[in-house]
Amino acid sequence: MNKIKTFLFFSVVLFFFTGCASTEKTPQVRNVILMIGDGMGLYHPYAAYTANKGSLAIYERTQAVGLAKTIAANNYITDSAAAGTAIACGVKTNNGMLGVLPDTSAVKSMLEYAADHGLSTGMVVACELTHATPAAFVAHVGGRSENDHIALDLARSKINVAIGGGRKFFEDRADAKNLTDSMKAKGFRVAYTIDEVKIVQEGNLLGLLAEVSPELYPARGELLPEGVKSAINILNKNKKGFFLMVEGSQIDWAAHANHQENVVHEMLDFDRAVKIACDFAEQDGNTLVIITADHETGGMTITRGNLERGSLSLDFSSTGHTGVPVPVYTYGPGSEKFTGIYENTEFLPKVLELLRIKR
């Protein structure tokens, strides 16, 4: 009888503790950092990993992996505008279109949803702020080359921090408007160098760090990782949370040029920004980091490599975009939702669900 009582006692205790463990709440997502390596396929980060002698934050820090399909509404091979719109707005559109359906009706982006929900929002990019991928998060235009219109949409948006190039589209416009003046009137600090960016600790910030596009790395310096660090510091002042989009823009440009050294430089620069995001997410506990691409560029593969020496040889089958799925790496609460193979339109509903925002 005593043995039976003892068994029952420990069974109850085990059930109690197992039940407590099973009802333990997972951390809620308060902040989302979406990082887009423009043109980054599966081989681009592995090339950087090899050149860096077997070290890459994307591989070492992330917890889950998936694949996103990239076909545009009107073309098997997407461009950055259609792919950026799919990621940002959750819809397929035609190549060249930004923040609109093929019939040109406007659709809301995850940055706009986040801002309307009271979250702070920002973007940090290694290209002009009016370029296709960042534009997909703030603009609604039928043509990706409409830089003045895109800049006007950004200036009118609810974004809190914008760091990149493209000063001429804000200050040297065909309509003679100076958008930096109007943004200053809305309470924005305007910075023209990364050192000026780093001074700003709170409030709203517009960083225009190049006339059009910043230079290739390393000539542009630490614009991307330092910009990400500054943006996180500012946006995190909002206790409701924040949404930040980061683009390693010139991975794509290096791959278009089939330039091995520049691909590696741009990937490692992007990876340093990834490390900063993951370091913050690890310390914060309520931040989801998503690392993906809009499309693959260059049809790139690795034909030879040596991890000990950090040497490799790349081969390219194209100077354009290709149609292969792109990787999705995630870190933080909600990472498991991004495993599997899915359309690039699935980013928006997944992010909104984790942020508890109704579409």
Side-chain angles (χ1 to χ4, degrees), residues 44 76 78 101 131 134-135 151 159 172 184 205 208 251 258 312:
H44 298 69
Y76 184 80
T78 191
L101 292 169
H131 209 267
I159 198 168
D172 185 21
K184 284 178 183 177
L205 170 65
L208 298 172
I251 301 167
N258 291 179
L312 73 158

Side-chain angles (χ1 to χ4, degrees), residues 13 24 27 34 38 61 69 74 79 99 140 198 211 237 250 258 278 284 292 329 347 351 356:
V13 171
E24 184 178 337
L34 172 62
D38 197 315
R61 303 298 296 279
K69 294 178 281 185
N74 68 333
D79 77 338
H140 307 278
K198 289 158 68 174
E211 183 69 9
K237 299 292 193 298
Q250 299 194 42
N258 291 179
C278 288
D284 177 71
T292 190
Y329 309 96
F347 287 101
V351 167
R356 300 167 301 285

Side-chain angles (χ1 to χ4, degrees), residues 71-109:
I71 298 171
N74 68 333
N75 202 309
Y76 184 80
I77 307 297
T78 191
D79 77 338
S80 291
T85 299
I87 294 170
C89 306
V91 297
K92 296 285 187 180
T93 196
N94 295 340
N95 283 346
M97 291 184 157
L98 289 163
V100 295
L101 292 169
D103 66 3
T104 72
S105 56
V107 283
K108 198 169 181 177
S109 75

Side-chain angles (χ1 to χ4, degrees), residues 289-320:
V289 181
I290 305 165
I291 305 144
T292 190
D294 47 357
H295 52 73
E296 194 276 347
T297 302
M300 198 186 90
T301 191
I302 301 171
T303 55
R304 288 192 305 277
N306 185 296
L307 286 172
E308 292 182 358
R309 293 197 300 267
S311 62
L312 73 158
S313 293
L314 302 182
D315 195 11
F316 298 87
S317 63
S318 172
T319 57

Side-chain angles (χ1 to χ4, degrees), residues 334-354:
S335 287
E336 70 283 352
K337 291 190 176 292
F338 294 86
T339 59
I341 303 170
Y342 42 87
E343 293 289 345
N344 54 3
T345 52
E346 288 300 306
F347 287 101
L348 177 75
K350 291 176 190 290
V351 167
L352 294 185
E353 178 187 354
L354 289 167

